[in-house]
């Protein structure tokens, strides 16, 4: 059936043939390193003359590409193109819009190793992390396409009164979307945010994160090959405070979809809330803004399993995930058993250039991120005890070793502020109830995990562990499209639940029509 959905399988890297295919993907990407990429406005290639150079974060002497950056005049032309395209695209049947997503998924599936390799080089993602990113992009395209087909049938549940009136209920698109995407999932989240807007019948101004613009451009190539009409998605990379703010403030922008930092998300929300001259609607904001995620370990938990979940959640992709575990809250009954295991497992992790398959973690995204993370390590040295790591080296890439601090106060900066790097803070609690209080004592509420063999405590966590995505007896990263809809509470965003059954509704509005008979 057209509505059936099956997640994209991950690559088996124990298969030597897959290792060879990934190496071929790296060779393919290296064959086009250093190229220059234009803006795409109404299907036309536009050169602004202002170039940004994208570098390999694992080897910042290697140029990935040069990307033209949009000017205000370019953004205005993109808005005109999106408005014109919307007049037609909003009338296109849902099946045709969904077919563009399905074709895009098929194209990426054929180019899977190339896209993953490009993320290894431009985003610094180790092979399994990059593969999971590509698979998630495919999942978003397949899932949202099918969800749109289901929403098209909403009218079938609307009641009419025989011989009196005929009632209709349908979802219609909103208009032009300003979509601002992150660098840490440069294909998956970009594809998900963009395709959700498009399949719902909206048109898009797309501004990708500055450090991963070549990946974004390659996704634009996919949309074109899949048959997306010109002007439906307009590619305008540029300076965030300039182009991003212009997009958000524009009176013709109908809604903003954003994934990134809390500071930028709050600024967007504030700007979007102020009506501009000529604006006739209240702009919607869909925002995912990060977290300070915790794993709570109960006094009866298995030490080995707990340590494995904590380390894998903390240091996958160097902790550069909004879902990454950055706080471990461990019951005193098992604290002394788990700490040595965390130390051993952390020190066993290999880190370095992600082109080398054996490296578990790679670099930070750029110098700004490197400086931020290393500054927090210095703060943490004053707030806790260094258990493992603490090594940094920027001579060739932006590398920071997986780092762990113990005996941290729940109210310390390293336990409260988002670091967005490979730094884990650990605290000890006397009771499970105290642990629940500690996990909830930050301004964030994105993901978290509870590891326990006590059924009453697991049920207590279900009710009182205040996060948008809670995992029981497993790690706190790795949400799967369609299985664990993703989004958080409090300062983690609007809890939009990407990859869930109601996500597309945020990109549409409902219309009720009644005809008297």
């Amino acid at each position: 059936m057209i509505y059936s959905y099956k997640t994209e399988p991950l690559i088996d890297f124990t298969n030597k043939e897959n290792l060879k295919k990934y190496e071929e993907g790296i060779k393919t990407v290296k064959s086009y390193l250093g190229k220059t990429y234009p803006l795409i406005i109404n299907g036309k290639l536009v050169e602004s003359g202002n170039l940004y150079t994208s570098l390999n974060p694992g080897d910042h002497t290697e140029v990935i590409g040069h990307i033209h950056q949009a000017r205000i005049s370019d953004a205005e032309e993109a808005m005109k193109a999106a408005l014109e395209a919307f007049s037609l695209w909003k009338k296109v049947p849902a099946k045709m819009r969904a077919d563009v997503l399905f074709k895009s998924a098929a194209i990426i599936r054929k180019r899977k190793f190339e896209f993953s390799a490009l993320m290894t080089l431009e985003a610094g993602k180790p092979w399994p992390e990059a593969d999971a990113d590509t698979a998630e992009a495919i999942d978003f395209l397949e899932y949202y396409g099918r969800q749109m087909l289901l929403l098209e049938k909403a009218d079938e549940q609307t009641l009419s009164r025989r011989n009196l009136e005929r009632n209709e209920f349908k979802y219609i698109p909103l208009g032009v979307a300003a979509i601002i995407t992150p660098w840490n999932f440069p294909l998956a989240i970009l594809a998900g945010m963009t395709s959700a807007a498009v399949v719902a019948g909206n048109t898009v101004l797309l501004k990708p994160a500055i450090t991963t613009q070549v990946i974004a451009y390659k996704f634009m190539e996919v949309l074109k090959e899949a048959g997306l009409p010109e002007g439906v998605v307009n590619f305008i990379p540029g300076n965030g405070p300039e182009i991003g703010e212009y997009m958000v403030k524009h009176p013709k922008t109908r809604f903003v979809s954003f994934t990134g930092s809390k500071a930028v998300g709050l600024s967007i929300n504030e700007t979007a809330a102020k009506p501009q001259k000529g604006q006739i609607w209240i702009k919607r904001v869909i925002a995912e803004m990060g977290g300070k995620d915790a794993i709570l370990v109960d006094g009866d938990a298995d030490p080995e399993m707990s340590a494995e979940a904590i380390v894998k959640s903390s240091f996958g992709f160097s902790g550069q995930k909004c879902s990454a575990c950055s706080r471990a809250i461990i019951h005193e009954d098992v604290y002394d058993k788990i700490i040595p295991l965390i130390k051993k497992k952390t020190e066993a992790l290999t880190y370095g250039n992600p082109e080398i398959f054996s490296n578990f973690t790679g670099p930070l995204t750029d110098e700004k991120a490197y400086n931020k993370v290393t500054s927090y390590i210095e703060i943490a040295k004053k707030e806790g005890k260094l258990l493992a790591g603490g090594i940094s080296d920027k001579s060739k890439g932006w590398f920071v070793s997986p780092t762990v601090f113990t005996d941290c106060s729940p109210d310390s900066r390293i336990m409260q502020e988002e670091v967005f790097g490979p730094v884990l803070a650990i605290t000890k609690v006397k009771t499970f109830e105290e642990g629940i209080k500690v996990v909830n004592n930050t301004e964030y509420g994105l993901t978290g995990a509870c590891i326990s063999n006590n059924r009453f405590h697991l049920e207590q966590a279900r009710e009182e562990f205040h996060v948008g995505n809670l995992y029981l007896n497993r790690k706190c990263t790795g949400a799967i499209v369609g299985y664990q809809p993703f989004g958080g509470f409090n300062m983690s965003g609007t809890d939009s639940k990407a990859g869930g059954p109601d996500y597309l509704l945020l990109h549409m509005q409902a219309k009720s029509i009644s005809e008297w008979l």
Side-chain angles (χ1 to χ4, degrees), residues 397-456:
W398 312 115
F399 294 104
V400 175
S401 65
T403 300
V404 182
F405 290 92
T406 61
D407 300 340
C408 300
S409 167
D411 297 321
S412 61
R413 289 184 64 187
I414 201 62
M415 287 284 288
Q416 290 290 318
E417 299 174 12
E418 186 177 38
V419 179
F420 220 69
V423 181
L424 169 68
I426 302 177
T427 194
K428 182 194 298 185
V429 292
K430 294 181 181 297
T431 66
F432 185 80
E433 288 70 24
E434 181 187 354
I436 290 289
K437 290 180 181 178
V438 174
V439 299
N440 290 331
N441 79 340
T442 77
E443 62 183 351
Y444 297 101
L446 185 53
T447 76
C450 177
I451 301 175
S452 176
N453 288 314
N454 185 317
R455 175 51 57 182
F456 286 102

Side-chain angles (χ1 to χ4, degrees), residues 1-207:
M1 288 178 62
I2 191 68
Y3 304 123
S4 65
Y5 166 71
K6 185 182 292 185
T7 57
E8 182 69 14
L10 298 178
I11 295 298
D12 178 9
F13 285 109
T14 64
N15 185 326
K16 292 183 179 180
E17 285 301 311
N18 288 331
L19 295 176
K20 290 180 181 178
K21 289 178 181 179
Y22 206 100
E23 289 168 352
E24 287 299 318
I26 291 176
K27 289 180 182 178
T28 298
V29 173
K30 288 197 178 257
S31 71
Y32 55 72
L33 291 184
K35 286 190 173 182
T36 299
Y37 301 90
L39 314 176
I40 303 176
I41 300 174
N42 202 25
K44 297 180 175 61
L45 307 182
V46 177
E47 297 182 353
S48 68
N50 177 23
L51 294 174
Y52 171 81
T53 299
S54 177
L55 302 177
N56 180 342
D59 178 3
H60 43 58
T61 64
E62 185 172 61
V63 174
I64 304 300
H66 307 281
I67 308 95
H68 284 270
Q69 303 299 286
R71 302 157 295 193
I72 295 297
S73 58
D74 298 316
E76 183 58 32
E77 287 302 311
M79 174 59 78
K80 292 177 182 177
L83 287 169
E84 183 177 353
F86 179 64
S87 64
L88 175 62
W89 186 245
K90 66 181 180 181
K91 299 177 182 178
V92 169
K95 184 180 184 303
M96 177 179 167
R97 301 196 302 257
D99 282 344
V100 172
L101 270 61
F102 298 146
K103 180 65 181 294
S104 297
I107 294 167
I108 294 175
R109 193 176 288 116
K110 291 176 182 177
R111 297 172 59 184
K112 178 182 285 190
F113 288 98
E114 177 198 346
F115 270 104
S116 296
L118 179 54
M119 280 187 279
T120 293
L121 293 174
E122 190 176 32
K125 286 208 163 191
W127 296 19
E129 295 280 349
D131 171 59
D133 198 313
T134 304
E136 187 175 24
I138 294 170
D139 287 344
F140 275 130
L141 292 163
E142 295 278 3
Y143 182 79
Y144 289 149
R146 284 159 176 75
Q147 285 299 121
M148 189 63 234
L149 295 177
L150 289 172
L151 288 173
E152 187 79 343
K153 293 178 172 288
D155 189 52
E156 295 179 1
Q157 301 179 39
T158 304
L159 301 177
S160 291
R161 293 186 287 183
R162 186 182 301 176
N163 300 325
L164 182 62
E165 66 185 8
R166 184 173 74 250
N167 298 312
E168 300 174 58
F169 180 85
K170 62 180 181 178
Y171 293 108
I172 63 174
L174 293 172
V176 177
I179 294 187
I180 304 170
T181 64
W183 51 263
N184 63 331
F185 286 84
L187 182 60
I189 294 182
L190 179 140
M193 293 170 67
T194 305
S195 65
V198 166
V199 80
N202 305 289
T203 54
V204 171
L205 305 184
L206 174 60
K207 194 198 85 63

Side-chain angles (χ1 to χ4, degrees), residues 3 44 135 151 186 215 251 284 308 320 355 417 431 460 482 487 500:
Y3 304 123
K44 297 180 175 61
L151 288 173
I215 295 166
R284 288 189 188 177
E308 184 73 9
Q320 297 177 117
E355 288 184 47
E417 299 174 12
T431 66
Q460 184 178 354

